[in-house]
Amino acid sequence: MSETLFSGMPTVRYAGPDSRDPLSYRYYDANRIVLGKPLGEHLRFACAYWHSLAMNGSDPFGTPSLMRPWMRTADPMQGAREKADAAFDLFRVLDVPFFTFHDRDIAPEGEDLRGSLSNFHEMVDYLGARMQTSQTRLLWGTANLFSHPRFMAGAATNPDPDVFAYSAATVKHCLDATKTLGGDNYVLWGGREGYETLLNTDLRRELDQLGRFLSLVVEYKHKIGFAGQILIEPKPKEPTAHQYDFDTATVYGFLQRYGLEGEVKLNLEGNHALLAGHSFEHEIAMAAAFGILGSLDINRGDPLLGWDTDQFPMNLNETAMALYHVIKAGGLGLGGCNFDAKIRRQSIDPADLVHAHVGGMDHCARAFLIAAAIVEDGQLDAALAERYAGWTGAGAREMLKGKMTLEAIAAAAEDRNLSPQPRSGGQERLENLLSRFF
Ligand code: XLS
Ligand code: NI
Ligand code: NI
């Protein structure tokens, strides 16, 4: 492996909460047993190739601010190899257990579909070889079906059937590669699956196209024996004004409509929850309630801005409560905590990338320890159980069993001449209880 931007950096290690070394983990002790298993196995952190290796700091007002060496290499395939070397060296520095990628992050676009697929498979082989000598495994793969202008009117929902077919071919090869590299999940974020104006959009047709596309992916997953999960990543807006995969509840309805609710789970992102007018914990709890919690893109947005700023998580209350609901749901299983997060445009030093991830991992570890302490304490759970205790009674349960009619319930209520008394929800008491853990 050639020299990389990170060659001179030692692997970041756990050094305890009192450590003053900014490049040490103070809370992320991957081997520490929490709630019966190692912390690292609860969190399953992943580094996102696109933000960390492919992003160049450009924004709608400015040119790239982060010109990494591999971005200047004349031969794009050689650049892709240098980028992969840098990626695996960064993973070594962070000691991060997983990574995630889009096809286009790891390999350049070719002259045509065949050329792009050939570049892609060549780089998948290269990554496979890198993985032989690395601890870092693949959390998920995905296809970039939104950057190239061919996708400007959507991928699966495009009015042009050739774009649907092009996208199908791309996803087929990405799923093959994800399986080959031992990925635990395959993610579909509907980048431009949405619309700008109904003047040029046949909504019903586009939804049916999306439903069929997803069914094709699920059929193929079973055909090749991919043991991982298929995940949809909801997002309400950006890039299109009306994204079809708006939020957890919307996607669940969509999955039900196309009979896929038992096949597909969700990859939930903090910033996307915020854009949908929800909190991260709401989206997680909602997915858990539907039984479709899959994985997390653990980042944060700026509540003052209306777009996907993809910042590293740093709000302890927000992250702890998100992870509390993950624990309550039984954990992330094959999913993990993917840093779909990018450094700011001014953070131009390679070390900034390391600081960002070390901070993010440590922050999440600390938040997880807080969430685990709340679970172990049990008072919040007890308060919840107490609030719904009335439903444990036989009479109450009868009403939900589907055997009592509305008339029967009415007759019983009249018979008992009910006069239910309001009870306090106790929110402030519970908030005070929570604040003891922070
Ligand atoms: C964009 C999405 C994207 C997905 C992967 O907002 O978060 O990064 O995670 O395509
Ligand atoms: Ni996002
Ligand atoms: Ni994301």
Side-chain angles (χ1 to χ4, degrees):
M1 191 158 86
S2 49
E3 280 278 298
T4 83
L5 273 190
F6 310 102
S7 296
M9 297 187 192
T11 297
V12 177
R13 300 286 179 208
Y14 173 71
D18 296 332
S19 169
R20 295 179 67 97
D21 175 359
L23 289 183
S24 63
Y25 294 117
R26 298 194 306 138
Y27 298 94
Y28 180 54
D29 177 5
N31 299 317
R32 173 172 170 182
I33 302 295
V34 187
L35 299 175
K37 71 174 180 186
L39 187 56
E41 287 177 30
H42 285 288
L43 292 165
R44 294 166 54 91
F45 289 126
C47 179
Y49 216 99
W50 55 103
H51 283 318
S52 296
L53 285 310
M55 197 266 300
N56 63 17
S58 63
D59 73 8
F61 307 95
T63 50
S65 61
L66 307 165
M67 282 309 282
R68 305 301 193 198
W70 54 89
M71 297 175 182
R72 292 193 214 99
T73 306
D75 170 13
M77 282 301 281
Q78 178 54 25
R81 284 186 287 272
E82 288 166 13
K83 194 200 302 188
D85 290 348
F88 279 85
D89 209 18
L90 175 64
F91 305 159
R92 169 194 63 77
V93 172
L94 298 173
D95 197 18
V96 66
F98 292 95
F99 73 107
T100 53
F101 71 84
H102 299 83
D103 55 345
R104 239 358 23 91
D105 305 329
I106 65 163
E109 182 94 24
E111 271 189 18
D112 49 20
L113 177 59
R114 285 189 201 143
S116 291
L117 292 175
S118 138
N119 285 353
F120 175 61
H121 284 295
E122 197 177 320
M123 285 311 301
V124 168
D125 291 346
Y126 194 83
L127 259 56
R130 282 276 153 273
M131 288 172 78
Q132 297 291 319
T133 54
S134 166
Q135 301 288 328
T136 304
R137 297 169 44 220
L138 179 62
L139 184 64
W140 49 262
T142 188
N144 179 333
L145 302 177
F146 44 89
S147 291
H148 193 280
R150 76 172 67 84
F151 303 119
M152 69 186 174
T157 62
N158 204 290
D160 180 353
D162 279 358
V163 178
F164 183 99
Y166 190 105
S167 306
T170 304
V171 169
K172 181 218 170 275
H173 286 269
C174 263
L175 197 48
D176 288 339
T178 301
K179 179 173 184 258
T180 304
L181 295 176
D184 280 337
N185 306 271
Y186 185 82
V187 167
L188 295 123
W189 169 57
R192 292 184 195 272
E193 314 292 24
Y195 70 91
E196 302 295 342
T197 170
L198 284 176
L199 293 176
N200 64 13
T201 303
D202 182 339
L203 202 51
R204 174 64 195 268
R205 177 187 288 277
E206 293 203 358
L207 290 173
D208 284 348
Q209 285 177 209
L210 193 55
R212 184 63 203 135
F213 194 89
L214 192 55
S215 301
L216 290 166
V217 173
V218 168
E219 277 165 34
Y220 186 67
K221 162 205 155 142
H222 290 300
K223 176 150 195 256
I224 62 173
F226 174 62
Q229 310 182 109
I230 303 289
L231 306 175
I232 295 248
E233 183 175 324
K235 185 175 184 180
K237 50 187 154 182
E238 197 204 63
T240 75
H242 304 271
Q243 297 277 135
Y244 295 135
D245 299 334
F246 192 93
D247 62 358
T248 297
T250 310
V251 174
Y252 187 69
F254 176 85
L255 293 176
Q256 272 193 318
R257 178 172 173 82
Y258 296 98
L260 294 167
E261 69 274 23
E263 294 282 359
V264 178
K265 291 186 172 179
L266 301 187
N267 180 43
L268 296 171
E269 179 165 322
N271 205 156
H272 298 184
L274 180 71
L275 293 176
H278 298 309
S279 62
F280 202 12
E281 71 185 89
H282 165 88
E283 286 292 84
I284 292 169
M286 193 65 121
F290 288 133
I292 54 169
L293 176 62
S295 195
L296 302 181
D297 270 5
I298 198 148
N299 66 7
R300 82 177 199 272
D302 186 330
L304 302 178
L305 303 173
W307 65 90
D308 204 9
T309 58
D310 284 341
Q311 288 166 256
F312 281 81
M314 211 35 90
N315 180 328
L316 200 54
N317 198 299
E318 187 177 281
T319 309
M321 293 322 288
L323 293 175
Y324 176 78
H325 287 282
V326 166
I327 297 172
K328 298 301 292 176
L332 289 170
L334 288 177
C337 292
N338 174 46
F339 290 110
D340 189 351
K342 63 177 181 233
I343 47 176
R344 300 303 90 189
R345 189 164 184 265
Q346 296 178 56
S347 303
I348 56 177
D349 296 341
D352 289 325
L353 206 48
V354 178
H355 281 286
H357 284 89
V358 168
M361 287 160 76
D362 231 14
H363 165 80
C364 291
R366 187 177 179 192
F368 188 88
L369 294 173
I370 291 173
I374 299 171
V375 171
E376 279 176 330
D377 170 75
Q379 288 188 77
L380 194 57
D381 256 349
L384 200 63
E386 213 269 309
R387 188 157 191 242
Y388 292 90
W391 285 99
T392 56
R397 291 207 314 269
E398 277 306 305
M399 290 195 291
L400 301 183
K401 281 188 181 158
K403 289 192 184 126
M404 274 183 99
T405 61
L406 191 65
E407 287 161 283
I409 294 173
E414 286 167 42
D415 206 38
R416 293 167 59 206
N417 197 19
L418 289 179
S419 171
Q421 297 303 306
R423 289 171 59 203
S424 171
Q427 182 171 336
E428 297 77 9
R429 177 174 51 88
L430 297 173
E431 285 169 350
N432 293 352
L433 168 65
L434 265 194
S435 73
R436 294 205 206 142
F437 294 89
F438 287 85

